[in-house]
Amino acid sequence: MALPTGIDPKDAAQMAGFVEAMPLAAKAWVLLAYAIATTVAVLVATTIARPRWKGLGIALGLLMVGLCAINLSLLPHPLWMLIAMLAIPLPIAMGVARWRRPAGG
């Protein structure tokens, strides 16, 4: 999604207004995109190195939390979105990694 004309991405006040004016569906889409990215990353990593499923789940979950934190530091977000963006990636990564663990692991 491109910024509307007239909004300067370097102007924090304009960006705050832009994010605030975004529809709820667009904000939810951001959360869904992070969840999908986490799932795909863990699926790929555990396909390549399945015996390391637990370490991969933790590492990729923390990486996504870090990427979410960067996003949160660059753009203002509502509190509910901040909490969700920091709380969702690690449990998803660990759940997918556990699902992909080798038999007997």
Side-chain angles (χ1 to χ4, degrees):
M1 181 165 100
L3 288 174
T5 55
I7 292 185
D8 179 12
K10 295 177 185 173
D11 185 345
Q14 285 184 359
M15 290 303 293
F18 173 71
V19 171
E20 188 173 325
M22 286 173 58
L24 179 61
K27 293 174 184 172
W29 179 252
V30 171
L31 296 176
L32 181 62
Y34 276 113
I36 291 169
T38 302
T39 301
V40 170
V42 175
L43 285 173
V44 169
T46 55
T47 297
I48 294 169
R50 188 171 276 184
R52 300 170 203 248
W53 66 273
K54 191 178 285 187
L56 290 168
I58 293 169
L60 290 171
L62 291 174
L63 174 66
M64 288 305 292
V65 168
L67 293 172
C68 288
I70 290 170
N71 184 340
L72 291 167
S73 73
L74 296 175
L75 289 172
H77 291 77
L79 180 61
W80 67 267
M81 204 169 168
L82 181 145
I83 292 168
M85 285 176 79
L86 296 177
I88 289 174
L90 191 57
I92 288 176
M94 288 306 299
V96 172
R98 180 174 296 282
W99 172 61
R100 296 285 296 158
R101 73 179 181 266

